[in-house]
Amino acid sequence: MRHAVTPHIQTMEEIMMTMRKKILQTVGAGALIALFAGSAQANLLADPGFDLVDATVNDSAPTGWSTFNGAVATNPASGATSPVADSPDNSLKLFNSGGAFQIINNVAPGTLFDASGVGMNFSGDPLLTTTETLLQVVFRNAGGQYAGTAANGNFALNFNVFESNRITSNTTSDVWTLMDFTGGAPILAPDDTAYLEFFVLQVNNAGGAGFIDSVSLTAVPVPAAVWLFGSGLIGLVGVARRRKAQA
């Protein structure tokens, strides 16, 4: 006497495992990683290393940046008292509560950005007591107000205004220190963003100079592979439901 054979209905976990195996067998793990790694975007900032000036002349205005108070591209090769640049030639020197900024237009709400740079507390002109240097990203709407309806157009740190960690008088001297935002996590453009401002700043000035170099602002891409993978998952969910209904 033959026993009826009960068909095995695959669970979603089994379907997902099968899919992962087929993807890896088809493209290989290295190729799959390359799909994501190869999607890096270009730096949106002009002259991010402050090098597009005469490398033999000290205290030049950085190219592509708007500056205020005290902010100059400085180069040790000119004989100035300044640190060796992290980028090929110059770094940006900030003093007297100075700063520099760039405006990036046509920013879509919901865009994710990576932002970073390096800073130094230089022993040749050290930061004193309360003086600090930092990077700042400000999102604004089409009217020039702070972006984000949840903040009603008002200043809201870590919602429409993001700041990096700060270089201070307590920062180890003569070492380029990483400056990033939210611990290296991407920052999000609020829902009515039209443009952003990227600032390099000295604040709480009590004397001394801060040095900044190798700043970066990049849009974080969503690789096409993610959408393909998501579409595949949706299709598999439909298959699983049909199988369950047939059972």
Side-chain angles (χ1 to χ4, degrees), residues 16-17 31 53 55 63 100 110 112 117 140 164 168 204 228 231:
M16 288 292 296
M17 182 64 70
V53 294
T63 301
L112 289 170
R140 295 190 182 275
S164 72
T168 73
N204 305 323
L228 292 174
S231 299

Side-chain angles (χ1 to χ4, degrees), residues 186-239:
I187 54 181
L188 176 69
D191 57 16
D192 62 343
T193 298
Y195 67 96
L196 68 80
E197 299 162 325
F198 185 98
F199 286 92
V200 183
L201 299 170
Q202 185 190 79
V203 297
N204 305 323
N205 181 50
F211 291 84
I212 305 291
D213 208 352
S214 301
V215 293
S216 176
L217 177 70
T218 59
V220 178
V222 179
V226 171
W227 300 114
L228 292 174
F229 189 71
S231 299
L233 289 181
I234 293 172
L236 285 172
V237 169
V239 170

Side-chain angles (χ1 to χ4, degrees), residues 24-224:
L24 289 175
Q25 289 169 355
T26 303
V27 302
L32 194 60
I33 293 170
L35 278 174
F36 292 86
S39 59
Q41 299 296 292
N43 196 339
L44 299 175
L45 299 173
D47 192 17
F50 311 102
D51 296 318
L52 299 181
V53 294
D54 188 339
T56 65
V57 177
N58 189 45
D59 293 355
S60 303
T63 301
W65 294 83
S66 299
T67 60
F68 53 92
N69 296 343
V72 292
T74 183
N75 176 32
S78 67
T81 302
S82 58
V84 174
D86 178 67
S87 58
D89 295 311
N90 295 11
S91 56
L92 186 72
K93 178 180 180 180
L94 301 171
F95 53 96
N96 294 335
S97 296
F101 68 95
Q102 291 187 31
I103 294 175
I104 307 298
N105 290 306
N106 302 316
V107 174
T111 303
L112 289 170
F113 292 93
D114 278 332
S116 65
V118 294
M120 181 184 289
N121 178 24
F122 179 50
S123 62
D125 195 358
L127 298 170
L128 302 179
T129 59
T130 60
T131 308
E132 300 174 317
T133 56
L134 68 147
L135 309 177
Q136 188 181 82
V137 174
V138 180
F139 292 102
R140 295 190 182 275
N141 60 29
Q145 299 171 312
Y146 291 115
T149 53
N152 297 316
N154 296 317
F155 175 92
L157 190 63
N158 293 328
F159 180 77
N160 47 35
V161 178
F162 293 81
E163 294 185 350
S164 72
N165 54 299
R166 302 186 178 202
I167 306 300
T168 73
S169 59
N170 294 321
T171 302
T172 303
S173 299
D174 303 328
V175 175
W176 287 111
T177 300
L178 176 65
M179 306 172 73
D180 62 12
F181 293 71
T182 60
I187 54 181
L188 176 69
D191 57 16
D192 62 343
T193 298
Y195 67 96
L196 68 80
E197 299 162 325
F198 185 98
F199 286 92
V200 183
L201 299 170
Q202 185 190 79
V203 297
N204 305 323
N205 181 50
F211 291 84
I212 305 291
D213 208 352
S214 301
V215 293
S216 176
L217 177 70
T218 59
V220 178
V222 179

Side-chain angles (χ1 to χ4, degrees), residues 6-40:
T6 303
H8 173 66
I9 305 300
Q10 282 187 302
T11 65
M12 277 303 300
E13 288 78 10
E14 291 173 325
I15 294 171
M16 288 292 296
M17 182 64 70
T18 301
M19 181 179 178
R20 284 195 291 266
K21 287 180 179 179
K22 287 183 177 180
I23 290 174
L24 289 175
Q25 289 169 355
T26 303
V27 302
L32 194 60
I33 293 170
L35 278 174
F36 292 86
S39 59

